[in-house]
Structures are given as C-alpha cells and as structure tokens.
Amino acid sequence: MALAAEWLGRLRPELDGYARLALDNIAREFPSHVTALMTGPGEFPVRPRDRTPVFYGSFDWHSCVEMHWVLVRMLKVAADAVPAGQIRAALDGQFTDAGLRAEAEFMRTSGNSERPYGWGWALALAGELASWPGDQDARRWAAAMEPLAAVLTDNFLGWLPRATYPVRSGLHSNSSFGLSLALPYARRQASLGRPGLGAAIEAAARRWYATDFGYPAAWEPSGHDFLSPALAEAELMSRLLDPAVLAPWLDRFLPGLAEGQPAALFRPATVADPTDGQIGHLHGLNLSRAWCFRRLAETLPRGDPRVPACTEASRRHAEASLPHVVGDDYMVTHWLAAYAVLMFS
C-alpha cells in the first residue's frame, strides 16, 4: 500500500476542498440527468428527489452515490483534514431509513438502470460503512443502507449468471469495474456467512477473463472513456488471482507492460474541452488508469519488472488530471473527486 499512502499524504491539503465540493454536489438537485423507463403516461417524476430522495443531487444517481462515498471515505481515513462535523451532519440527514428504503424500491423496480456501475458504487458505499464498526454513526448508516444493498445484491445475482459475455467499454456499462467496486462488500458478506454474491462475481470474472490474451490496448482510449477496459479488467483479476498466477496471466493479457507498451496505454489522455461532458470524461480516464496502475504495482510480486513501469504510469496519469478535480466545469466536478479519492483507497 505504499503508493496509496503516498497519495494520501500528497493529497491531504486538497481533501478539504474535495469534501466541500462533495457536500455541495449531494445537495445540488439541478441540473439533473434523469434516465427512466416509462410504461405509461404520468409516470415521470416531477423532480429527481421525488423519485430518489437520497441520491438526487450531483447531476445523476451514480455520481451522487459516488459523492456520498467520497465523504464517508475521507471521514473514515482523514477526518482531521476535512470538515468532519459538517460531513456527519449532512450524512445523518441523508442516510435516513425512509429515504434509503425508497432508494431500494427504486433499484428494485428500475430494471437495468445503473447496471453495473451504479450498483457497484452503491455497494462500495455500503461496504465502506459496514467495514467501520467502531464508529457509532457509521453503524447506524450501514444498517439504513442494508435494504438498498440487499436489492442490489439480488440484482447482481439475477444478472451475472445470465451475462454470457462481458461489456468491454470505457463507460458505465463496463463489467469489470462494476464487479471490482462490489467485491469488497461481497467478501464482507461472505465472511458473515453469505457467500452468494462473492461467488457469483468470481465465477463471472473467471468465465469472462481467465483465458484472455493479447488485449488490443493500443486502441485505447475512445473519445469519451473514463475507464480503461484493459486496465479495469487487469485490476479486477489482481483481486481474484494469487500474485503468482496474476503474473503469467498479465504476460498473456498485456505482454508489454514492463517496457511501457503499448505507448497509448501509458500516455495520459488530453482533455480538449472540460465543458463537454463526454470529452471531460477523459479526466476520469487518467485518474482511473492511475488507480489501476497503482493496484497492479502493489499486487504484483516484489521484483516483478512491471512494478516500476506501473508505478511511474500511476504518477504520470494522476498528475495530469488531479488539478481539475476542484474548480473546473461542473460537467467534470460533479464526479471526478471520486476518482481522486480512489488514489488512496
């Protein structure tokens, strides 16, 4: 975890700004991007908070979940660097039993909405709270989150056995990133005697990815990616494979990593217009690549020749987009802090 600790240390002066941005975002209802399946007239909500009374802010549902995760994560690991009292008061107002039951019902009835990206982020939030048992507020909030987490667990269990193929995009539909976000919660559930979700995630990942080889990472990125399909898959497999097994799998999957190849994977993306929501995604690509490279560097066996290349790529990508987390256009700032906080998570 050396790189994670390094990034936490380097970013500590920025955390107060991240926290205040996230506090503003979760309460900012408009502008709002609402996706809804309508089966008849009169079903569309008058306003976002009528449909989702907790996760109504920050432009869209999954970004609002991300901002709540950002607040919980920073409160958990760096409470002295953020306005802890304000964060606790805000989360106490958000994480109500009634509000989260309404969120659970929304996720139960919304079909494939937010699959798997929003599902994964919500379980990451639930897992962050559940793994903080020494904090009285967190215990209460975790209990309130359980109806939503239970619905999302059922959603994953209903989907994964039917998903013959993974989605290898650089956007919300990416299969590997959503599973990686959900995995810590799933493993905690398994430790409590509920192994179903963890087993389903591992079975799907092995079915989809275990025999992959020669991934065409030189073709990345697409013009509006915020994820690297190649690195997101490698990061997930780093969680599931023993280091001694991960190393030869990476040899086959991305054979040029030690030499910094393909060059396109190691070169930070250029963001020409952050006011364009799709082009602005590329800031997220830089930070999510930084996180994935960091995870690989920390998971590979000591002395593996890919570790230095991944470590340097992590730093280079992070430095390209960290200056844009706060103070840039809202099309970037309503979500990018989540990827900055991943740097030390």
Side-chain angles (χ1 to χ4, degrees):
M1 298 298 288
L3 268 176
E6 175 188 327
W7 279 114
L8 177 57
R10 289 182 62 177
L11 293 176
R12 282 186 73 88
E14 310 299 327
L15 299 188
D16 183 79
Y18 293 176
R20 295 183 189 281
L21 176 67
L23 287 167
D24 288 342
N25 281 343
I26 64 173
R28 183 171 176 175
E29 188 173 4
F30 299 101
S32 180
H33 182 266
V34 177
T35 302
L37 172 66
M38 298 180 67
T39 59
E43 293 183 352
F44 202 78
V46 175
R47 55 190 301 174
R49 68 191 310 163
D50 292 338
R51 183 177 69 155
T52 54
V54 178
F55 303 123
Y56 59 83
S58 204
F59 192 72
D60 51 39
W61 193 87
H62 52 260
S63 299
C64 197
V65 173
E66 290 169 6
M67 290 300 102
H68 283 77
W69 175 83
V70 163
L71 291 170
V72 170
R73 181 66 186 165
M74 291 193 297
L75 188 63
K76 189 175 180 182
V77 303
D80 60 327
V82 297
Q86 288 180 245
I87 293 174
R88 286 186 184 274
L91 294 179
D92 222 31
Q94 294 289 101
F95 292 149
T96 65
D97 291 338
L100 286 165
R101 283 195 300 270
E103 296 286 350
E105 180 63 14
F106 168 65
M107 276 293 135
R108 189 185 68 80
T109 58
S110 62
N112 299 334
S113 175
E114 301 291 347
R115 184 182 81 186
Y117 184 80
W119 297 1
W121 271 115
L123 289 185
L125 173 59
E128 201 71 68
L129 291 168
S131 61
W132 194 10
D135 187 275
Q136 292 185 355
D137 288 336
R139 284 202 301 271
R140 185 174 67 257
W141 300 334
M145 278 287 294
E146 272 307 299
L148 175 59
V151 166
L152 294 175
T153 296
D154 288 345
N155 287 356
F156 269 115
L157 292 175
W159 167 57
L160 288 173
R162 298 182 290 111
T164 307
Y165 311 106
V167 177
R168 303 177 188 270
S169 81
L171 295 172
H172 309 87
S173 57
N174 181 280
S175 301
S176 51
F177 186 71
L179 297 193
S180 182
L181 289 172
L183 191 57
Y185 176 83
R187 285 178 166 166
R188 180 172 178 79
Q189 291 299 296
S191 73
L192 299 174
R194 296 184 285 274
L197 179 58
I201 288 173
E202 182 159 354
R206 291 182 182 276
R207 183 172 76 246
W208 292 337
Y209 305 128
T211 60
D212 279 358
F213 66 95
Y215 195 90
W219 297 357
E220 296 186 16
S222 294
H224 55 189
D225 285 354
F226 60 84
L227 298 171
S228 161
L231 291 176
E233 178 177 336
E235 192 282 328
L236 174 63
M237 296 305 278
S238 77
R239 295 177 181 266
L240 298 175
L241 301 178
D242 291 333
V245 179
L246 174 66
W249 181 85
L250 271 177
D251 286 338
R252 298 188 299 273
F253 182 62
L254 290 171
L257 284 183
E259 295 77 38
Q261 295 295 326
L265 192 65
F266 284 79
R267 184 186 308 119
T270 298
V271 184
D273 182 6
T275 68
D276 182 307
Q278 299 298 308
I279 294 174
H281 275 171
L282 293 167
H283 280 311
L285 175 68
N286 286 336
L287 296 189
S288 66
R289 276 183 175 183
W291 174 69
C292 289
F293 275 126
R294 193 212 93 201
R295 294 273 301 119
L296 292 176
E298 293 177 341
T299 306
L300 285 165
R302 183 173 297 181
D304 188 292
R306 287 164 289 205
V307 170
C310 289
T311 299
E312 177 56 28
S314 177
R315 293 193 177 107
R316 190 183 312 124
H317 278 83
E319 288 165 357
S321 285
L322 281 172
H324 301 273
V325 174
V326 177
D328 216 318
D329 190 84
Y330 184 61
M331 295 309 296
V332 170
T333 61
H334 77 267
W335 60 277
L336 190 59
Y339 290 86
V341 174
L342 270 179
M343 292 299 302
F344 55 85
S345 301

